[in-house]
Amino acid sequence: MVRKGVLMVCGTTSDAGKSTVVAGLCRVLAREGVSVAPFKGQNMSLNSVVTKEGAEIGRAQWVQAIAAGAEPEAAMNPILLKPTGDRSSQVIVMGRPRETQQAADYQRSKADLVGIVDLALADLRSRFDVVICEGAGSPAEINLLDHDIVNLGLAARAGIPAVVVGDIHRGGVFAHLFGTVAVLPEHLRQCVRAFIINMFRGDPALLGDAMEQLEARCGVPTLGVLPYLPGLVLDAEDSLHRLPVAPSQCPVGAAGAPLDVVVLRLPRLSNFTDFDPLLVEEGVTVRFVDHPSTFGDPDLIVLPGTKSTAADLEWLGASGLRDVLLASRLLPSPPTILGLCGGFQMLGHAIEDPDGVESAGPSVPGFGWLPLVTRFEADKITRLRSGTGSTGAPVQGYEIRHGRGHPGPGWETWLTFGDVERPEGDDVESACDRTGLVYGTSLHGLFEADRFRGEFLTEVARARGKTWRSSGHSFAAARERQIDRVADACAAYLDTDALWRLVEGAPLGRGV
């Protein structure tokens, strides 16, 4: 039987598990041969990715598309907000940057965006059998209901049934679920058709008749309790929820001493999933560090991507981490340093932004370890790239940047893209110093290339006098296993028959 319809998955809070549940449901439907697509009308995230057409979308929607077996596209995330400060964001519309707006200005501009969101959803529904929509934050933010383009306002306009996910792991889930429905105006309350409880640990019998009591109070049935899945790492959209990995939590490979990787946790850290592939390697620890006291003696230091390169470079100085980095270069056995995108730009001599594309100042000095000057331009580069490393290992990834790298004397590359090293004249995509200890590239996702990742880390170990050998695991296969874990849990613990009835527009009675 071919299923046909649409469903919205909201959450009581941010990080309640909406993105994970959507990915799981997409995979369950794809297993049945259903043509399914994910959708999120508005996403706020610094963790984005580039589609085949060069459109920029939220990473969560990208992995949901992978779960669905669909090609990621701009319509799956028509509005993406990339924070540039506490009250401002770059607004990405259908995969292309429009402008940077203050929060209040953006709220006023939503009236012009609602049509774009609705058309994108209608387009997906015309081409796919089922669309699984994801809300944002909580649908019960009563201060935002008048301008809602992503939660129940969208559901009400399009006639979409919604389920609300609550995270029991943090406590208070029944109050969260009941309160979400209770504060909604009646026309939005009618959209909420079911609850899902997420992240449960322990014996389900301890819940007793709590779900029945909840339904008796608000008339909304609970369609299942998803268990806590230990070790689950799916491409997330919010770096605030990614915790450092302590050495004791990471297995030590038989090949020798573990490799310690420190990622500088910049205030506007972006694309932190660049480091997820390192977690499949045995004998590698990954720590996100934001203070000198926790820096330790790493083998690899990574300056990651950032949406505010100049501001985060200034923060490195104020935090004391700049001094720690400078001191690390003077050690008898110095660590390898890798800069990715914004971090790559920091490693050069200067960052110039005379037109204020990203920062307020016209020029700030970098670390000066790479013969490179970065100049920001209004046009944003968003594209997929593929090439080879210095040993011939293939690499693939994507670029998201306003900065163009202009090389100086002594410039050398370590990644080659296509047939030329400089695809846009002086705009270089990688550079290294002559010591072989400082590397930079504008490419995100390069560690997803298994052979390249293994060879690069082997060289990192060698530079520190260590012996390390790659586990040989496939990161793509590891991601597929994680998606399948979520899908298996959805199939086993949710009343999917009731969910599919919702998708197809059928009513749910009490006590489903």
Side-chain angles (χ1 to χ4, degrees):
M1 180 179 70
V2 176
R3 304 190 188 281
K4 191 80 174 176
V6 62
L7 180 73
M8 174 166 282
V9 178
C10 294
T12 55
T13 62
S14 295
D15 206 41
K18 301 182 295 293
S19 297
T20 301
V21 170
V22 171
L25 294 179
C26 283
R27 176 55 57 90
V28 171
L29 286 168
R31 287 172 174 174
E32 295 184 8
V34 176
S35 169
V36 57
F39 176 82
K40 187 164 185 171
Q42 173 202 284
N43 198 347
M44 176 176 280
S45 177
L46 288 176
N47 203 26
S48 59
V49 71
V50 175
T51 69
K52 185 180 294 185
E53 293 77 18
E56 187 177 0
I57 66 172
R59 183 85 179 189
Q61 281 61 67
W62 181 87
V63 78
Q64 289 163 358
I66 300 302
E71 183 68 37
E73 57 175 286
M76 295 174 179
N77 179 206
I79 309 296
L80 172 63
L81 305 180
K82 302 192 72 173
T84 57
D86 291 339
R87 298 184 180 182
S88 61
S89 294
Q90 184 182 52
V91 182
I92 312 294
V93 179
M94 290 302 291
R96 308 296 177 186
R98 174 173 287 189
E99 61 182 318
T100 296
Q101 288 186 309
Q102 297 295 310
D105 294 333
Y106 175 72
Q107 291 300 321
R108 288 189 288 269
S109 72
K110 280 186 175 179
D112 298 325
L113 299 175
V114 64
I116 294 172
V117 171
D118 291 353
L119 283 173
L121 175 57
D123 176 40
L124 289 177
R125 293 183 70 178
S126 72
R127 294 185 284 116
F128 291 86
D129 295 329
V130 174
V131 177
I132 306 292
C133 306
E134 179 185 344
S138 164
E141 303 290 358
I142 55 178
N143 56 311
L144 301 176
L145 294 183
D146 290 342
H147 306 287
D148 178 24
I149 63 174
V150 63
N151 284 307
L152 296 179
L154 171 64
R157 289 195 307 275
I160 302 173
V163 298
V164 177
V165 178
D167 180 1
I168 198 171
H169 180 65
R170 301 184 180 188
V173 70
F174 296 109
H176 287 166
L177 292 169
F178 177 84
T180 296
V181 173
V183 301
L184 290 171
E186 181 61 25
H187 74 288
L188 297 182
R189 189 181 303 130
Q190 293 298 319
C191 297
V192 179
R193 307 295 299 283
F195 296 140
I196 292 173
I197 293 176
N198 191 31
M199 300 279 284
F200 181 73
R201 296 185 190 226
D203 183 0
L206 296 175
L207 294 174
D209 65 348
M211 281 82 78
E212 287 77 12
Q213 290 188 52
L214 180 63
E215 183 179 356
R217 283 171 167 80
C218 64
V220 180
T222 299
L223 298 188
V225 179
L226 291 171
Y228 172 77
L229 299 177
L232 182 69
V233 179
L234 274 184
D235 305 60
E237 63 185 37
D238 192 347
S239 64
L240 295 179
H241 302 292
R242 180 61 55 88
L243 298 177
V245 178
S248 61
Q249 295 173 301
C250 193
V252 178
L259 289 181
D260 185 24
V261 179
V262 158
V263 180
L264 300 184
R265 191 169 183 173
L266 304 173
R268 296 297 169 189
L269 168 66
S270 67
N271 296 83
F272 66 94
T273 49
D274 280 343
F275 313 107
D276 286 352
L278 300 179
L279 301 178
V280 306
E281 296 288 357
E282 296 178 358
V284 176
T285 69
V286 180
R287 298 183 293 120
F288 288 81
V289 169
D290 59 7
H291 193 273
S293 63
T294 58
F295 192 80
D297 183 26
D299 302 297
L300 173 63
I301 303 168
V302 184
L303 282 71
T306 167
K307 190 66 187 72
S308 301
T309 310
D312 281 358
L313 184 57
E314 181 180 0
W315 174 85
L316 284 175
S319 68
L321 284 170
R322 184 184 183 112
D323 291 337
V324 174
L325 284 172
L326 293 171
S328 73
R329 295 279 287 158
L330 303 177
L331 293 173
S333 179
T336 299
I337 296 175
L338 172 66
L340 298 177
C341 199
F344 175 33
Q345 297 162 3
M346 292 180 184
L347 295 178
H349 290 293
I351 298 169
E352 299 179 350
D353 191 6
D355 298 324
V357 173
E358 187 183 272
S359 59
S363 179
V364 295
F367 282 93
W369 293 333
L370 294 177
L372 186 80
V373 171
T374 297
R375 295 191 184 97
F376 280 86
E377 298 183 11
D379 290 340
K380 192 175 192 178
I381 294 174
T382 55
R383 61 187 177 192
L384 301 179
R385 300 294 288 162
S386 61
T388 58
S390 57
T391 64
V395 294
Q396 304 85 34
Y398 54 97
E399 293 180 297
I400 303 173
R401 58 189 174 97
H402 285 282
R404 272 68 163 176
H406 300 272
W411 171 80
E412 296 182 15
T413 189
W414 62 295
L415 300 177
T416 302
F417 299 91
D419 297 327
V420 295
E421 294 176 345
R422 304 186 190 186
E424 295 184 357
D426 282 342
D427 181 21
V428 299
E429 297 170 291
S430 77
C432 61
D433 75 343
R434 290 174 178 174
T435 70
L437 292 175
V438 180
Y439 299 86
T441 180
S442 57
L443 192 70
H444 291 290
L446 79 165
F447 284 137
E448 294 191 29
D450 300 321
R451 177 185 158 193
F452 171 84
R453 180 181 66 248
E455 292 182 356
F456 182 82
L457 293 177
T458 297
E459 284 302 304
V460 168
R462 184 197 58 77
R464 296 276 284 178
K466 295 183 176 182
T467 300
W468 181 88
R469 187 163 48 249
S470 173
S471 61
H473 297 314
S474 163
F475 177 68
R479 175 190 282 128
E480 286 295 315
R481 288 193 295 270
Q482 298 281 40
I483 294 171
D484 283 334
R485 287 181 69 198
V486 177
D488 291 344
C490 288
Y493 294 97
L494 298 182
D495 186 345
T496 52
D497 287 339
L499 274 173
W500 304 152
R501 292 203 301 275
L502 277 180
V503 166
E504 293 164 354
L508 292 184
R510 294 171 66 89
V512 171

